[in-house]
Amino acid sequence: MNARSSVDMSVAHWQAVCRLEELPVLGARRWLQGPEPIAVFRNAQDQVFALADRCPHKGGPLSQGIVFGDRVACPLHNWTIGLSDGCADAPDEGCTTAYRTRVVDGVVMIEVSDTV
């Protein structure tokens, strides 16, 4: 076994996305600072979530979906995706990448990884 293949070669860091008040309640913003677009969501309870901006079904832009509770409905085929884990609700199957988020002094941040 190659020792290099068992070592995680990524470094995580936090990136500022926007101010919380710039993120609409029950809405999303598309963030384009990386290898894939990320949809950043805010629900009615001011919780912030981030997912890869592609539905696991047909790649629909989740940032254009309808946010309700802790879910988003894909605008293409109405699949319901969990905002905390990126996974489709049953009976649908599949997940998109979920990113950790935090709000610091009113600034929305996403944890992203860079390959070293």
Side-chain angles (χ1 to χ4, degrees), residues 8-47:
D8 182 4
M9 298 300 289
S10 63
V11 175
H13 63 278
W14 292 90
Q15 286 280 325
V17 176
C18 63
R19 296 208 47 84
L20 182 61
E21 63 265 15
E22 296 170 342
L23 192 58
V25 175
L26 297 179
R29 169 175 274 209
R30 197 166 196 233
W31 190 62
L32 301 171
Q33 301 294 319
E36 68 179 345
I38 296 175
V40 184
F41 303 92
R42 179 180 178 187
N43 69 8
Q45 293 74 38
D46 283 336
Q47 294 173 298

Side-chain angles (χ1 to χ4, degrees), residues 8-116:
D8 182 4
M9 298 300 289
S10 63
V11 175
H13 63 278
W14 292 90
Q15 286 280 325
V17 176
C18 63
R19 296 208 47 84
L20 182 61
E21 63 265 15
E22 296 170 342
L23 192 58
V25 175
L26 297 179
R29 169 175 274 209
R30 197 166 196 233
W31 190 62
L32 301 171
Q33 301 294 319
E36 68 179 345
I38 296 175
V40 184
F41 303 92
R42 179 180 178 187
N43 69 8
Q45 293 74 38
D46 283 336
Q47 294 173 298
V48 177
F49 305 90
L51 302 174
D53 194 19
R54 60 178 157 63
C55 178
H57 177 224
K58 298 277 185 176
L62 294 175
S63 60
Q64 295 177 24
I66 296 172
V67 176
F68 59 100
D70 63 351
R71 306 246 178 286
V72 63
C74 177
L76 295 186
H77 300 101
N78 208 33
W79 274 37
T80 300
I81 310 299
L83 292 172
S84 60
D85 63 5
C87 292
D89 286 352
D92 300 321
E93 296 179 353
C95 297
T96 194
T97 304
Y99 296 88
R100 289 180 29 177
T101 62
R102 66 183 180 189
V103 178
V104 178
D105 296 327
V107 176
V108 175
M109 308 195 66
I110 299 175
E111 185 179 40
V112 293
S113 296
D114 288 333
T115 302
V116 177

